[in-house]
Amino acid sequence: MMGHRVDYFIASKAVDCLLDSKWAKAKKGEEALFTTRESVVDYCNRLLKKQFFHRALKVMKMKYDKDIKKEKDKGKAESGKEEDKKSKKENIKDEKTKKKKKKK
């Protein structure tokens, strides 16, 4: 984000993780902090309001124009090689037909 490396998580995975944590399991004489998924969601909403984390969309890194041009050039070079092969075959065929005409 803005040139900085960030860690991200999906909300459902965060809820599952908190439900499996030590805070969801009660010890003797203590009450569990998280008993249901709704209690975990409420807790996460409180953290969100206090800006401990924020919502964001994952944006895939775009290829730069130079990289795209290189890929296009590679594609043209490969198709150019095929065209060269085709043109060589056509030249050979033309030469054969010319020789046949001369013989006739």
Side-chain angles (χ1 to χ4, degrees):
M1 232 175 146
M2 303 291 286
H4 298 283
R5 184 171 183 261
V6 295
D7 295 322
Y8 66 95
F9 59 90
I10 297 172
S12 61
K13 299 270 185 184
V15 170
D16 292 338
C17 182
L18 287 173
L19 282 174
D20 292 337
S21 68
K22 66 180 182 179
W23 295 287
K25 298 170 185 143
K27 293 183 180 178
K28 294 179 182 177
E30 293 182 9
E31 187 177 329
L33 184 61
F34 305 122
T35 55
T36 62
R37 290 184 77 82
E38 289 78 24
S39 63
V40 174
V41 171
D42 291 338
Y43 182 76
C44 288
N45 282 332
R46 282 188 273 154
L47 291 178
L48 183 63
K49 287 178 184 176
K50 294 183 181 193
Q51 296 180 350
F52 278 86
F53 57 88
H54 67 90
R55 290 186 175 150
L57 295 174
K58 182 179 178 184
V59 179
M60 299 305 290
K61 190 174 183 181
M62 296 285 291
K63 291 185 177 181
Y64 292 105
D65 291 336
K66 293 178 184 178
D67 295 337
I68 295 171
K69 288 180 183 177
K70 286 180 183 178
E71 288 180 5
K72 286 182 181 178
D73 291 341
K74 286 180 183 178
K76 287 181 181 178
E78 289 174 2
S79 64
K81 290 178 184 177
E82 292 174 5
E83 289 175 4
D84 289 341
K85 289 178 183 178
K86 288 180 183 177
S87 62
K88 286 181 183 178
K89 288 181 181 179
E90 289 174 1
N91 287 338
I92 292 170
K93 288 180 183 178
D94 289 338
E95 289 176 10
K96 287 182 181 179
T97 54
K98 287 179 184 177
K99 287 180 182 178
K100 286 181 182 179
K101 286 181 182 178
K102 285 182 183 178
K103 287 182 182 178
K104 288 182 181 179

